[in-house]
Amino acid sequence: MSNTLRPYLAAVRATLTAAMCLENFGSQVVERHNKPEIEANTTKEVILTPLVVSRNENERVLIEPSINAIRFSIKIKQADDIERILCHKLTRFLMMRAENFVILRRKPVQGYDISFLITNFHTEQMYKHKLVDFVIQFMEDVDKEISEMKLSLNARARIVAETYLQQFS
């Protein structure tokens, strides 16, 4: 992990840990229903102020806490068109398999690349610090994976170009 990424991830970790004080809370509108209030958006009193932790304009995190759930959205760094395409393909691949990731949403929040939904049931079944560790590790790995895919793509393109140009020499 680079030295410039470390303070950003530390701020995300601290903010997410502080926001993850979730409790079981039934719906105030429909009896015997317990839906994530951040998703249902039926009562404004139980939704807390959204927080944005930003490294720069292209790399930021949106944390939307409520009384029984947190929606965590990530805007992944995309410096050029190749990174934009690779990021889109990778996030689409992951979101198509959202049921295997438990906390991953199928559709991201508008303006972000990928979103997670952590409910009070997740914090009851799993350790909170492990959930935070997973999200932070995911943020590190997705940047590393996109960089590796870009390097691999450029190397492959160079080999193809050299092979094609050998025909003319």
Side-chain angles (χ1 to χ4, degrees):
M1 176 172 43
S2 68
N3 287 334
T4 58
L5 190 61
R6 191 169 284 123
Y8 170 65
L9 292 177
V12 170
R13 180 185 297 275
T15 307
L16 191 57
T17 303
M20 206 175 288
C21 51
L22 307 174
E23 63 183 48
N24 196 1
F25 188 80
S27 174
Q28 293 182 329
V29 179
V30 181
E31 190 174 333
R32 294 180 181 240
H33 277 239
N34 189 346
K35 296 196 169 139
E37 289 294 329
I38 198 71
E39 295 283 314
N41 210 9
T42 54
T43 46
K44 300 289 182 204
E45 302 88 39
V46 296
I47 296 175
L48 303 172
T49 307
L51 306 162
V52 176
V53 179
S54 180
R55 185 174 178 202
N56 55 42
E57 63 275 351
N58 296 328
E59 199 172 1
R60 62 182 183 273
V61 168
L62 173 67
I63 301 173
E64 299 172 283
S66 70
I67 195 160
N68 64 351
I70 295 173
R71 186 166 49 201
F72 182 82
S73 304
I74 304 171
K75 176 79 172 147
I76 300 167
K77 179 186 70 169
Q78 301 162 20
D80 56 4
D81 289 337
I82 293 173
E83 285 186 5
R84 199 168 292 112
I85 292 168
L86 291 173
C87 178
H88 176 70
K89 294 282 188 189
L90 180 65
T91 55
R92 196 179 78 200
F93 174 83
L94 292 172
M95 287 185 288
M96 289 174 71
R97 291 148 182 83
E99 62 274 353
N100 296 334
F101 286 98
V102 182
I103 62 171
L104 185 64
R105 290 182 76 222
R106 283 204 173 271
K107 191 169 183 191
V109 173
Q110 184 69 31
Y112 290 86
D113 297 314
I114 197 161
S115 293
F116 297 93
L117 180 69
I118 302 171
T119 64
N120 63 304
F121 299 115
H122 295 133
T123 58
E124 290 169 4
Q125 294 170 354
M126 302 176 227
Y127 294 116
K128 291 180 186 179
H129 68 279
K130 293 289 185 183
L131 282 170
V132 174
D133 289 345
F134 168 75
V135 170
I136 298 299
Q137 186 68 42
F138 177 83
M139 290 175 67
E140 289 176 12
D141 289 348
V142 86
D143 282 344
K144 191 177 356 173
E145 189 68 32
I146 289 174
S147 297
E148 287 174 4
M149 286 173 20
K150 185 177 178 184
L151 289 172
S152 173
L153 180 72
N154 287 339
R156 199 166 164 189
R158 186 179 319 107
I159 291 169
V160 168
E162 286 173 359
T163 306
Y164 178 73
L165 292 174
Q166 281 178 355
Q167 295 173 357
F168 302 109
S169 61

Coordinates of all heavy atoms in Angstrom, one line a residue, residues 19 38 44 46-52 62-66:
A19 N -19.6 4.6 12.1 CA -21.0 4.6 11.6 C -21.6 3.2 11.8 O -22.8 3.1 11.6 CB -20.9 4.9 10.1
I38 N -32.2 2.8 5.1 CA -31.5 3.6 4.1 C -32.0 3.2 2.7 O -32.0 4.1 1.8 CB -29.9 3.4 4.2 CG1 -29.2 4.5 3.5 CG2 -29.5 2.1 3.7 CD1 -29.3 5.9 4.1
K44 N -37.7 9.7 7.8 CA -36.5 10.6 7.7 C -35.7 10.6 9.1 O -34.6 10.9 9.1 CB -36.8 12.0 7.3 CG -37.5 12.1 5.9 CD -36.5 11.8 4.8 CE -37.2 11.9 3.5 NZ -36.5 11.2 2.4
V46 N -34.8 8.3 11.1 CA -33.8 7.2 11.4 C -32.6 7.2 10.4 O -31.8 6.4 10.5 CB -34.5 5.9 11.4 CG1 -35.5 5.8 12.5 CG2 -35.2 5.6 10.1
I47 N -32.7 8.1 9.4 CA -31.5 8.2 8.5 C -30.6 9.3 8.9 O -31.0 10.5 9.1 CB -32.1 8.5 7.0 CG1 -32.9 7.3 6.6 CG2 -30.9 8.7 6.1 CD1 -33.6 7.5 5.3
L48 N -29.3 9.0 9.1 CA -28.3 9.9 9.5 C -27.7 10.7 8.4 O -28.0 10.4 7.2 CB -27.3 9.2 10.3 CG -27.8 8.3 11.5 CD1 -26.7 7.5 12.1 CD2 -28.4 9.2 12.6
T49 N -26.9 11.7 8.7 CA -26.3 12.5 7.7 C -25.3 11.7 6.9 O -24.4 11.0 7.4 CB -25.5 13.7 8.3 OG1 -26.5 14.3 9.2 CG2 -25.0 14.6 7.3
P50 N -25.4 11.7 5.5 CA -24.4 11.0 4.7 C -23.0 11.6 4.8 O -22.8 12.8 5.0 CB -24.9 11.1 3.3 CG -26.3 11.7 3.4 CD -26.4 12.3 4.7
L51 N -22.0 10.8 4.8 CA -20.6 11.2 4.9 C -19.8 10.9 3.6 O -19.9 9.8 3.1 CB -19.9 10.5 6.1 CG -20.6 10.6 7.4 CD1 -20.1 9.6 8.4 CD2 -20.4 12.0 8.0
V52 N -19.0 11.9 3.2 CA -18.1 11.6 2.0 C -16.7 11.8 2.5 O -16.3 12.8 3.0 CB -18.4 12.6 0.9 CG1 -17.5 12.4 -0.3 CG2 -19.9 12.5 0.4
L62 N -18.7 7.2 -0.2 CA -20.0 7.8 0.4 C -20.5 6.8 1.4 O -20.7 5.6 1.0 CB -21.0 8.0 -0.7 CG -22.4 8.4 -0.2 CD1 -22.4 9.8 0.4 CD2 -23.4 8.4 -1.4
I63 N -20.6 7.2 2.6 CA -21.2 6.4 3.7 C -22.5 7.0 4.1 O -22.6 8.1 4.6 CB -20.2 6.3 4.9 CG1 -18.8 5.7 4.4 CG2 -20.8 5.5 6.0 CD1 -17.8 5.8 5.5
E64 N -23.6 6.2 3.9 CA -24.9 6.6 4.2 C -25.5 5.8 5.4 O -26.0 4.7 5.1 CB -25.8 6.5 3.0 CG -25.4 7.4 1.9 CD -26.3 7.1 0.6 OE1 -26.0 6.0 0.0 OE2 -27.1 7.9 0.3
P65 N -25.3 6.2 6.6 CA -25.8 5.4 7.8 C -27.2 5.6 8.1 O -27.8 6.7 7.8 CB -24.9 5.9 8.9 CG -24.5 7.3 8.5 CD -24.5 7.4 7.1
S66 N -27.9 4.6 8.6 CA -29.2 4.8 9.2 C -29.2 3.9 10.5 O -28.2 3.4 10.9 CB -30.3 4.3 8.2 OG -30.2 2.9 8.1

